[in-house]
Amino acid sequence: MGNEVALVTGGASGMGRATVARFLGRGFSVVIADLNREVAERTLAELDAGDRVRFVHTDVSDEARFEAAIGETVETYGRLDVLVNAAGVGGAFGPLTEIEADDWDYTFDVVLRSVFLGTKHAGRVMRAQGTGGAIVNFGSVGAFAAGAGVQAYSVAKAGVQHLTRIAALEYAPDRIRVNAVAPGIITTPLIGLTAEDLKPVLGTVQPLPYAGEPDYVAGVVSFLASDDARFITGEIVTVDGGMIAAGPQLGNLVNNNPALRGLVGVNRGSTGEKSSVHRTVDVAGGTR
Ligand SMILES: NC(=O)c1ccc[n+]([C@@H]2O[C@H](COP(=O)([O-])OP(=O)(O)OC[C@H]3O[C@@H](n4cnc5c(N)ncnc54)[C@H](O)[C@@H]3O)[C@@H](O)[C@H]2O)c1
């Protein structure tokens, strides 16, 4: 531990950048592979980690360029232990009846094809090294339910999450672990919302009452890339403040029914046994 080498796609901004900072804190050498040169150069200056971090200008949907970025990583730092596929865009917006097929394809190229390309070429390098490795992909809560993200993006993220399991199976004999995080709403430039903007969903749609910050997800990525996660592969870790756990929140609907508010006890249905539901709790939760 300490002299490992990671390549982080989308490492110039948001959760990718927070992941780079985590890895640098653990003594890694890191390559940021990103399309946005200006933001990447600013990030490099702010991280101030000398020659332990460098930027390679890359479009991760382009196979030759992604393969070249992996090659440059090995040339510069001598090996590759960790690949984090964090690059992403919102992609095509609008009703399915209006989405241009080219915009749909662009979304899939950046969100899903890129993860396949990285998995393919990093897998080759890690396998040849013979010392195992870790790949961590970025899925999304949008992959789990239709109401959690825009269409093309959500379908592509579902692909990323399934590719994670497929790759975990294929790479297990080489001790290369492949996992994913599925973030909820995180305050990054991609969604452009602040903690203040998110107030209406905090403690409601998202049960935890504080906004998701990039470092909360980066901490999980860092764990999945570490030896502490040595027995975890093919796993999708949801990091969403409880949104998916809350699900459709039908409980809210029931609690909104005044007839059911404040009832406690047990309903034994049609068993013939006595139920004991009675009214002892007021709406605020105090006993009467
Ligand atoms: N922010 C959220 O709420 C949220 C939720 C779920 C999943 N995600 C996913 O998390 C990941 C990180 O997103 P973020 O919110 O930190 O976004 P961000 O916009 O802050 O960072 C994404 C980075 O990816 C880079 N990038 C985009 N297309 C690229 C390409 N073709 N080649 C190379 N680099 C490219 C961008 O230049 C940018 O630096 C993405 O995969 C995103 O889809 C985000």
Side-chain angles (χ1 to χ4, degrees):
M1 194 67 73
N3 54 359
E4 285 164 274
V5 176
L7 185 152
V8 181
T9 77
S13 176
M15 290 180 268
R17 174 186 164 141
T19 300
V20 172
R22 283 267 180 173
F23 285 165
L24 290 172
R26 283 174 51 194
F28 280 36
S29 299
V30 186
V31 167
I32 293 173
D34 203 291
L35 196 54
N36 193 326
R37 187 186 294 278
E38 196 187 324
V39 173
E41 281 170 359
R42 204 181 322 139
T43 294
L44 279 189
E46 287 168 7
L47 289 170
D48 192 23
D51 59 9
R52 279 202 300 127
V53 59
R54 59 165 299 183
F55 165 59
V56 177
H57 189 233
T58 316
D59 178 347
V60 290
S61 65
D62 179 318
E63 180 161 19
R65 292 182 70 184
F66 202 160
E67 186 181 5
I70 290 171
E72 276 192 60
T73 306
V74 176
E75 234 167 71
T76 309
Y77 295 121
R79 53 186 297 109
L80 178 68
D81 302 290
V82 176
L83 168 68
V84 175
N85 285 305
V89 292
F93 271 69
L96 292 171
T97 48
E98 301 300 323
I99 292 176
E100 299 292 344
D102 283 348
D103 294 341
W104 180 275
D105 289 347
Y106 163 75
T107 312
F108 270 68
D109 285 350
V110 178
V111 174
L112 179 55
R113 176 182 155 93
S114 65
V115 177
F116 156 63
L117 296 176
T119 305
K120 172 181 173 179
H121 291 287
R124 285 182 177 177
V125 168
M126 290 174 182
R127 182 171 287 167
Q129 282 172 183
T131 49
I135 297 174
V136 184
N137 299 324
F138 271 71
S140 169
V141 289
F144 297 122
V150 282
Q151 302 92 321
Y153 173 89
S154 299
V155 180
K157 287 295 190 186
V160 168
Q161 292 181 187
H162 200 52
L163 175 59
T164 300
R165 298 186 194 96
I166 298 275
L169 183 67
E170 183 174 323
Y171 288 6
D174 295 293
R175 296 166 187 258
I176 301 165
R177 297 180 300 101
V178 189
N179 292 293
V181 287
I185 309 168
I186 310 296
T187 52
T188 69
L190 183 66
I191 61 162
L193 297 174
T194 64
E196 186 64 25
D197 298 328
L198 291 174
K199 267 192 174 154
V201 301
L202 305 181
T204 57
V205 171
Q206 177 199 290
L208 283 177
Y210 43 89
E213 294 181 12
D215 188 58
Y216 302 164
V217 180
V220 179
V221 175
S222 176
F223 161 71
L224 289 172
S226 78
D227 277 353
D228 282 342
R230 60 167 68 79
F231 209 49
I232 301 178
T233 197
E235 186 60 52
I236 316 297
V237 183
T238 305
V239 191
D240 70 345
M243 256 195 302
I244 292 294
Q249 302 190 59
L250 287 180
N252 283 348
L253 211 60
V254 171
N255 288 338
N256 283 338
N257 176 346
L260 295 175
R261 262 194 208 143
L263 298 182
V264 294
V266 58
N267 177 335
R268 297 187 191 275
S270 48
T271 58
E273 294 175 359
K274 196 169 182 301
S275 294
S276 61
V277 178
H278 54 283
R279 180 176 293 274
T280 54
V281 178
D282 66 22
V283 179
T287 49
R288 285 191 204 148

